Amino acid sequence: MGSLKFYSTNGKAPMVDLKGALLAGQAPDRGLYMPEHVPTLDAGTIASFAKRPYHEIAEEVIWRYAEGVIDRGTLGELCRDAYNYDVPLEKVYDRVHVMRLDRGPTASFKDFAARMMARLIGRFVREDGRELLILTATSGDTGSAVASAFHGVPGIKVLVLFPINEVSDRQRKQMTTLRDNIRTIAIDGKFDDAQAMVKRAFSDPALSGLPLSSANSINIGRLLPQSVYYFYAASRVAQAGEPVVLSVPSGNFGDMMGAVLAREMGLPVKRLVVPVNENDEFPKFLATEHYEKVEPSRACISNAMNVGHPSNLARLVNVYGGWLDETGVLHKAPDFAAMRRDLFSTSVTDQETRDAIKKAWDDYKLLLEPHGAVGWKGFLDYCASEPLGNAPAVVVETAHPAKFPDEIERTTGVHPDAPPALAALDGLTEDYDSMPAEYEAFKAYLVKKY
Ligand SMILES: *Cc1c(COP(=O)(O)O)cnc(C)c1O
């Protein structure tokens, strides 16, 4: 059987298989890869998830996209190896739950995708006898998840650029204490400077001899593993075939696209709630049918969601039959009526986020950090707009509260204990290089070290 093909949302690039899409990241026409058809899981398979462990559900879901580029036994081993940590579903009241995606090595949900991508890419690179140098600029969570996931993978080197004054101590230590095939550079500038340096390196002909690659949020390899935990959650809180309400706090819309794909694959979803922070371009788009980026993006306490033009929105619009290009121009309108039927979106202010952290703690002893609190408040807004009834619901918590101890202590008086992976960082010594936010310095570094 041939392998599933992936096309570009901009429609001007050749189709590729999963291996091609994973190694390329972005399509050559600057569009995003989408599966030619979304594979489905039959009701019997989905029902069987109720009694199966997380890694087996991951294997079933990812296999539907990976058949033909990897063998099933190998995929199963990679899943078992990647998903060796808990995925707790905490009951809050009635059938309402919070799913904590913060038990991976860097304590954010980005571990789920990074660990799978690292294993798949590592395998493909070895198969071809290739080498890869992954360049990434980070404002915190992505860089640490990528560095941790690729640490020790043969054939792959990782270089992470981070703005020295914009990442927390723990975020920095998650990257700078790894060593081996992971190098880190502190940039004396802002995240945007670091990102511009990385982007320029990718398009610099003088560096074309280096096997550069990226592992950013637009890689289709990020989305597929992010479908799995929605199947897992439903299998634990819903009866077979029973629709579930999902609430996913969103920035670049990669996490929510995992839920969209899960629904397309056959998971019964009553409503997908997509709360955002004060970067409110999406709820406005849904309501007014007019797209306008938020420029510059607004700085909110849920800082990993400070996105004024979500890169994965092009994929969502594509699913609903429209075309949005990478610059934010809407060439063809999606089916807005269908989008509004399936999705509910709302913007949550910083004040509402803090109030939600406090009230969740006071009412239910539910400890949330700012991103999860946006998801929680959005869920409550949804419940106020339409009766939840007896439907099962799952609100996604995307990071560990101990990553934001000050904010939480101020609002609740509780000091969140660090999980072992974060606590262990305190005793480790760091190792990183430093440079000004100047491209020529970065280029000289690349030429000298690689
Ligand atoms: C990246 C991130 C998000 C946003 O996820 P998207 O896929 O970009 O929508 C939310 N919470 C945390 C903690 C994150 O690191």
Side-chain angles (χ1 to χ4, degrees):
M1 191 189 135
S3 50
L4 181 62
K5 293 291 183 284
F6 294 79
Y7 64 89
S8 162
T9 52
N10 281 346
K12 295 183 193 75
M15 300 234 266
V16 293
D17 62 13
L18 181 63
K19 178 174 170 178
L22 270 174
L23 293 174
Q26 192 173 40
D29 63 357
R30 308 186 63 80
L32 305 187
Y33 285 116
M34 283 291 279
E36 187 181 15
H37 64 268
V38 178
T40 52
L41 291 170
D42 60 74
T45 303
I46 298 175
S48 78
F49 291 167
K51 294 197 168 55
R52 299 169 73 184
Y54 189 93
H55 67 88
E56 284 186 20
I57 300 174
E59 178 190 330
E60 285 282 2
V61 171
I62 298 170
W63 174 245
R64 299 305 189 281
Y65 298 88
E67 188 174 4
V69 300
I70 189 170
D71 72 78
R72 175 97 188 219
T74 307
L75 179 65
E77 281 165 35
L78 299 188
C79 290
R80 185 188 290 269
D81 184 52
Y83 302 120
N84 58 357
Y85 51 87
D86 275 356
V87 185
L89 278 150
E90 193 172 316
K91 182 182 154 175
V92 185
Y93 64 87
D94 299 339
R95 301 184 75 196
V96 175
H97 299 76
V98 161
M99 174 162 59
R100 296 197 181 271
L101 300 179
D102 60 0
R103 304 296 151 104
T106 71
S108 94
F109 85 97
K110 295 203 167 71
D111 285 324
F112 284 80
R115 287 170 69 77
M116 197 67 226
M117 270 178 74
R119 282 162 179 76
L120 286 172
I121 291 178
R123 181 128 201 123
F124 294 147
V125 162
R126 200 163 58 197
E127 226 168 66
D128 296 355
R130 286 171 57 174
E131 293 204 325
L132 226 48
L133 171 58
I134 293 181
L135 287 189
T136 183
T138 188
S139 54
D141 284 343
T142 298
S144 48
V146 167
S148 157
F150 282 96
H151 186 219
V153 176
I156 298 184
K157 294 180 178 134
V158 176
L159 181 58
V160 186
L161 275 66
F162 63 91
I164 185 70
N165 292 321
E166 290 180 17
V167 305
S168 72
D169 282 357
R170 278 197 175 131
Q171 281 175 324
R172 191 187 65 247
K173 286 186 180 175
Q174 283 178 325
M175 306 181 271
T176 58
T177 57
L178 292 168
R179 299 187 174 78
D180 308 320
N181 61 329
I182 312 294
R183 256 193 238 268
T184 45
I185 306 180
I187 301 297
D188 186 11
K190 304 179 72 64
F191 168 66
D192 292 341
D193 300 323
Q195 190 164 49
M197 290 161 77
V198 165
K199 278 197 174 156
R200 212 167 138 193
F202 278 114
S203 58
D204 187 341
L207 296 176
S208 63
L210 291 176
L212 301 182
S213 179
S214 73
N216 53 21
S217 67
I218 55 176
N219 197 306
I220 186 77
R222 289 278 293 261
L223 265 52
L224 311 181
Q226 290 172 184
S227 283
V228 174
Y229 40 73
Y230 300 108
F231 282 103
Y232 175 81
S235 79
R236 295 320 195 249
V237 308
Q239 301 298 312
E242 190 185 25
V244 57
V245 171
L246 300 170
S247 179
V248 185
S250 292
N252 254 323
F253 280 44
D255 200 1
M256 71 77 73
M257 273 308 296
V260 170
L261 286 182
R263 194 196 51 218
E264 300 270 300
M265 290 185 81
L267 182 71
V269 176
K270 179 176 153 79
R271 196 73 95 105
L272 174 56
V273 182
V274 188
V276 296
N277 60 24
E278 292 171 27
N279 293 281
D280 58 358
E281 65 284 348
F282 182 67
K284 281 195 175 147
F285 179 53
L286 208 53
T288 64
E289 309 193 356
H290 178 71
Y291 186 64
E292 208 170 317
K293 306 183 233 188
V294 172
E295 263 178 326
S297 58
R298 298 174 186 137
C300 298
I301 55 172
S302 47
N303 63 357
M305 306 197 314
N306 292 339
V307 181
H309 173 43
S311 42
N312 282 293
L313 196 53
R315 285 193 167 109
L316 183 68
V317 167
N318 180 268
V319 165
Y320 287 92
W323 177 24
L324 178 74
D325 74 17
E326 72 283 357
T327 64
V329 174
L330 188 66
H331 296 272
K332 180 168 180 247
D335 181 346
F336 281 106
M339 268 170 97
R340 283 190 290 259
R341 223 167 21 242
D342 294 343
L343 310 174
F344 174 90
S345 186
T346 178
S347 163
V348 178
T349 65
D350 274 356
Q351 190 53 50
E352 289 171 322
T353 305
R354 292 193 174 99
D355 292 347
I357 293 174
K358 174 150 177 45
K359 195 156 164 40
W361 179 253
D362 290 347
D363 291 355
Y364 306 113
K365 290 288 169 279
L366 170 66
L367 197 60
L368 297 172
E369 53 72 58
H371 305 83
V374 169
W376 181 251
K377 173 68 164 86
F379 171 70
L380 297 180
D381 287 353
Y382 164 71
C383 293
S385 80
E386 161 177 310
L388 178 65
N390 190 37
V394 177
V395 178
V396 173
E397 173 53 284
T398 48
H400 195 284
K403 282 193 139 177
F404 303 88
D406 301 340
E407 195 62 57
I408 290 171
E409 207 161 343
R410 258 199 307 279
T411 37
T412 64
V414 177
H415 181 77
D417 284 331
L422 291 183
L425 290 169
D426 293 342
L428 301 177
T429 50
E430 298 184 70
D431 181 15
Y432 59 90
D433 295 318
S434 303
M435 73 174 58
E438 284 163 17
Y439 179 68
E440 291 307 324
F442 180 48
K443 182 173 174 175
Y445 182 97
L446 282 170
V447 170
K448 179 157 170 259
K449 304 269 183 179
Y450 296 99

